[in-house]
C-alpha cells in the first residue's frame, strides 16, 4: 500500500524559507512522477512542482526560481525547498505520486495522481 507522509510546514514571514518533506513507502515501481500541490482556502488545488524518476523537474511559473523539488532515492523522500516565500504561497501543501510518466499537459493536474499525502500547512505573513 502506497503511503505518502508530509512534514515541514509552518508559519514564516515573507522572504523566509521552509523545506517540506514527503516520506514515501509501499511501492517498488521504477518509473514515477511525484509532485507538490497546494490549496489555499476557497481555491482549487494547484500544482507547483513535479519530478520524474529520471530526475527531470518542472515548476509552475509562480514558483520558478524560488522553489526547488528534489528526491533522495536512498531515503525514499521527496523534498520541496521554498525560498523567498510570499503571502500568496500560503496554503495546504500536498505531495502526490503516480507510477508512470505524465505528459507536460497533465503534469500539474491533480486528477492525474492517484496517491496523496495528508498535507502540511504553510502560512506566510
Amino acid at each position: 500500500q502506497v503511503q505518502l507522509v508530509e512534514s515541514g510546514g509552518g508559519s514564516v514571514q515573507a522572504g523566509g524559507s521552509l523545506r517540506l518533506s514527503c516520506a514515501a513507502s509501499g511501492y517498488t515501481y521504477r518509473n514515477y512522477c511525484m509532485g507538490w500541490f497546494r490549496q489555499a482556502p476557497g481555491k482549487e488545488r494547484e500544482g507547483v512542482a513535479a519530478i520524474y524518476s529520471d530526475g527531470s523537474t518542472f515548476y509552475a511559473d509562480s514558483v520558478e526560481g524560488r522553489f526547488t523539488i528534489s528526491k533522495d532515492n536512498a531515503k525514499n523522500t521527496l523534498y520541496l525547498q521554498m525560498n523567498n516565500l510570499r503571502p500568496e504561497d500560503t496554503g495546504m501543501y500536498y505531495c502526490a505520486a503516480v507510477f508512470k510518466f505524465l505528459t507536460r499537459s497533465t503534469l500539474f493536474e491533480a486528477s492525474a495522481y492517484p496517491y496523496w499525502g495528508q498535507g502540511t500547512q504553510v502560512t506566510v505573513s
Side-chain angles (χ1 to χ4, degrees):
Q1 182 179 358
V2 177
Q3 285 192 319
L4 303 173
V5 180
E6 302 97 332
S7 61
S11 296
V12 296
Q13 292 187 336
S17 298
L18 282 173
R19 188 177 81 155
L20 306 183
S21 300
C22 173
S25 62
Y27 70 94
T28 57
Y29 304 100
R30 296 185 64 181
N31 294 329
Y32 60 79
C33 180
M34 298 188 76
W36 287 100
F37 287 74
R38 67 186 179 191
Q39 189 166 21
K43 294 189 176 181
E44 291 188 359
R45 193 169 295 190
E46 63 170 348
V48 297
I51 186 168
Y52 284 158
S53 48
D54 68 358
S56 303
T57 57
F58 307 88
Y59 299 94
D61 289 344
S62 58
V63 305
E64 181 82 51
R66 300 188 298 122
F67 290 12
T68 302
I69 188 172
S70 62
K71 189 172 185 290
D72 184 330
N73 290 321
K75 295 182 179 179
N76 240 2
T77 300
L78 182 72
Y79 299 101
L80 185 68
Q81 177 67 43
M82 305 185 294
N83 298 327
N84 192 19
L85 282 161
R86 304 167 180 169
E88 55 264 39
D89 294 318
T90 293
M92 186 70 78
Y93 281 69
Y94 300 89
C95 70
V98 58
F99 298 105
K100 62 180 181 180
F101 285 150
L102 299 176
T103 62
R104 287 297 303 273
S105 63
T106 60
L107 202 57
F108 290 143
E109 290 186 7
S111 61
Y113 294 79
Y115 301 102
W116 291 85
Q118 82 289 349
T120 186
Q121 178 68 36
V122 171
T123 303
V124 185
S125 60

